[in-house]
Amino acid sequence: MEERNQWCFACGRLNPIGLKLTFREENNTYVTNFTAGPEHQGYDGIVHGGIVSTLLDEIMARYIYAKGGNAVTARLEVRYRQPTPIGQALTVAGWIVAQRGRFYEMAGEVRLPDGTVTAEGKALVAVVDQAKV
Ligand SMILES: CCCCCCCCCC(=O)SCCNC(=O)CCNC(=O)[C@H](O)C(C)(C)COP(=O)(O)OP(=O)(O)OC[C@H]1O[C@@H](n2cnc3c(N)ncnc32)[C@H](O)[C@@H]1OP(=O)(O)O
């Protein structure tokens, strides 16, 4: 395992307050599962929008990282369709929409166990030199 970046807030195994996400690829889609707790909420029972945004940011950028690129998010847009509840096993998925040189146009979504999409993401992910990350 690579020793760098183990304190990533979203995926680092050493970060004691991180989300400790793990990932898999299914049918050209990058996927993680996450169950938010009260420490991740804004309003009672509702996942903080910044955490939802983090989940989407991570799934989209890390897909390009997993494919071997030093990926950073250049632009991120989140549509919060409905409140995302804590205490439910969320599925977060991201996929490539298009590639233009070293920029990837990405999309993603957060789903409840019943398939309801609570948030949608769009991102532009850039591949940069290793020295920059
Ligand atoms: C275990 C490790 C975990 C791995 C997964 C990590 C997931 C985390 C994801 C993140 O959150 S990364 C942190 C948040 N993102 C950043 O900190 C990125 C900060 N921004 C940059 O580093 C640079 O702005 C960037 C690399 C995105 C682009 O700078 P460049 O110098 O490479 O691009 P340049 O300025 O030469 O522009 C090239 C083209 O891209 C366009 N461009 C640049 N930045 C853009 C941008 N932000 N949005 C849209 N377009 C952009 C720019 O207009 C131009 O288009 P044209 O050629 O058509 O003129």
Side-chain angles (χ1 to χ4, degrees):
M1 177 183 290
E2 187 186 10
E3 287 308 311
R4 300 170 69 234
N5 302 319
Q6 295 305 316
W7 280 68
C8 170
F9 175 69
C11 66
R13 62 186 169 85
L14 299 181
N15 188 330
I17 64 161
L19 305 183
K20 294 193 171 64
L21 301 177
T22 60
F23 306 88
R24 60 191 184 278
E25 188 176 24
E26 297 174 352
N27 303 318
N28 296 316
T29 302
Y30 208 44
V31 182
T32 189
N33 296 106
F34 179 68
T35 301
E39 66 274 28
H40 303 116
Q41 67 192 1
Y43 289 108
D44 285 349
I46 306 299
V47 185
H48 194 287
I51 296 292
V52 172
S53 188
T54 296
L55 293 170
L56 288 166
D57 180 30
E58 182 74 8
I59 202 70
M60 294 188 281
R62 203 179 194 286
Y63 195 15
I64 303 306
Y65 171 82
K67 287 178 174 293
N70 297 302
V72 297
T73 306
R75 192 169 59 220
L76 176 64
E77 179 183 322
V78 178
R79 179 173 179 192
Y80 299 98
R81 299 183 68 92
Q82 63 180 68
T84 300
I86 66 169
Q88 292 198 34
L90 305 173
T91 299
V92 185
W95 58 92
I96 298 170
V97 174
Q99 180 184 2
R100 290 187 302 278
R102 62 193 180 86
F103 285 89
Y104 289 82
E105 187 184 328
M106 307 294 295
E109 62 188 23
V110 176
R111 293 194 297 267
L112 302 181
D114 70 1
T116 302
V117 174
T118 64
E120 296 170 337
K122 292 181 187 174
L124 189 67
V125 172
V127 174
V128 298
D129 292 340
Q130 167 112 35
K132 293 192 175 177
V133 289

